[in-house]
Amino acid sequence: GAVVSQHPSRVICKSGTSVKIECRSLDFQATTMFWYRQFPKKSLMLMATSNEGSKATYEQGVEKDKFLINHASLTLSTLTVTSAHPEDSSFYICSARDVGGELNEQFFGPGTRLTVL
Amino acid sequence: GQNIDQPTEMTATEGAIVQINCTYQTSGFNGLFWYQQHAGEAPTFLSYNVLDGLEEKGRFSSFLSRSKGYSYLLLKELQMKDSASYLCAVFDSNYQLIWGAGTKLIIKP
């Protein structure tokens, strides 16, 4: 099956710093990538939809200036958490939709555990 | 609004059968997914139903009734490794995935 990677898998940073998370589709092209956040014992919450070559679409309540998304190529999207604070500590997961696949084909990355001290 | 309901937690015995229910109210419907998520890991795909009926895949089966807004995931011959959260998600009319909160399944020996 299609593979999506995320880097880093785990990051610990100080409050006020910025953290960049990469999401790559390894063996397929993804015009659309999704960024989710998941707090402990909670379901996935969609943060934004990232479209290659255009601006990301953010969900209500998600600050676009704090969570910067760039989808510069068909295989890479990045999420930058700017001026991170402890409340941003969470599990961030990306998923990618295969350009050539059925609409129901959405593949998840392994997730990035962010801890802000 | 859009809503997906599933039990928060269930407990079952190794070797037994368990059924996890999911009911949904969404703006449109383009399919229902079940995902398995182990603690600290990303979800992995289990099944996709878009038509009514039962889809069987090994020890796991998924059922859908669109008229009732209802689905269930059936797990047979439970193994300890099946201990995980099971997430129900629905594609709405815009093909946006709406997620349930997940059901934590605890398997006891």
Side-chain angles (χ1 to χ4, degrees):
Chain A
V3 178
V4 175
S5 71
Q6 272 183 250
H7 179 81
S9 59
R10 194 177 291 267
V11 58
I12 300 173
C13 69
K14 293 182 179 180
S15 184
T17 60
S18 294
V19 175
K20 180 187 282 189
I21 303 170
E22 292 186 349
C23 177
R24 293 181 185 272
S25 56
L26 298 186
D27 51 3
F28 67 99
Q29 294 182 326
T31 52
T32 305
M33 290 184 172
F34 303 89
W35 287 97
Y36 292 89
R37 180 167 52 182
Q38 187 176 35
F39 292 105
K41 300 184 180 180
K42 299 293 184 182
S43 186
L44 295 166
M45 290 180 56
L46 180 65
M47 298 175 66
T49 302
S50 167
N51 296 296
E52 186 266 337
S54 63
K55 291 183 178 179
T57 302
Y58 290 81
E59 295 300 302
Q60 192 172 8
V62 179
E63 300 174 57
K64 62 180 180 181
D65 294 330
K66 179 169 181 66
F67 299 99
L68 301 177
I69 291 173
N70 183 279
H71 192 161
S73 76
L74 286 172
T75 59
L76 173 65
S77 176
T78 60
L79 168 68
T80 302
V81 183
T82 62
S83 187
H85 291 284
E87 57 265 30
D88 298 323
S89 298
S90 187
F91 192 47
Y92 291 86
I93 306 172
C94 74
S95 69
R97 190 170 280 171
D98 186 348
V99 170
E102 298 293 326
L103 282 172
N104 59 336
E105 294 186 45
Q106 193 166 322
F107 306 97
F108 284 87
T112 297
R113 174 78 57 193
L114 171 63
T115 303
V116 184
L117 302 177
Chain B
Q2 311 208 85
N3 194 49
I4 295 184
D5 289 312
Q6 48 181 133
T8 304
E9 187 174 295
M10 299 182 70
T11 302
T13 305
E14 189 177 16
I17 299 173
V18 71
Q19 178 175 311
I20 302 174
N21 296 324
C22 170
T23 57
Y24 62 89
Q25 301 93 36
T26 56
S27 56
F29 177 84
N30 280 300
L32 183 143
F33 297 81
W34 283 97
Y35 284 86
Q36 180 190 61
Q37 186 179 25
H38 285 99
E41 298 179 11
T44 56
F45 172 82
L46 289 179
S47 66
Y48 171 68
N49 294 65
V50 66
L51 300 176
D52 291 347
L54 187 68
E55 297 272 348
E56 296 186 73
K57 192 185 295 184
R59 294 189 299 115
F60 294 5
S61 302
S62 57
F63 171 84
L64 174 67
S65 169
R66 288 172 296 171
S67 63
K68 295 181 179 179
Y70 167 71
S71 172
Y72 68 72
L73 180 69
L74 190 72
L75 293 78
K76 303 176 183 177
E77 301 170 17
L78 286 171
Q79 302 174 9
M80 297 303 292
K81 66 178 182 180
D82 297 330
S83 292
S85 287
Y86 291 85
L87 307 175
C88 175
V90 171
F91 258 157
D92 68 7
S93 56
N94 296 318
Y95 285 94
Q96 179 162 331
L97 264 181
I98 311 301
W99 292 88
T103 298
K104 183 178 180 180
L105 177 63
I106 300 169
I107 310 296
K108 294 185 175 180

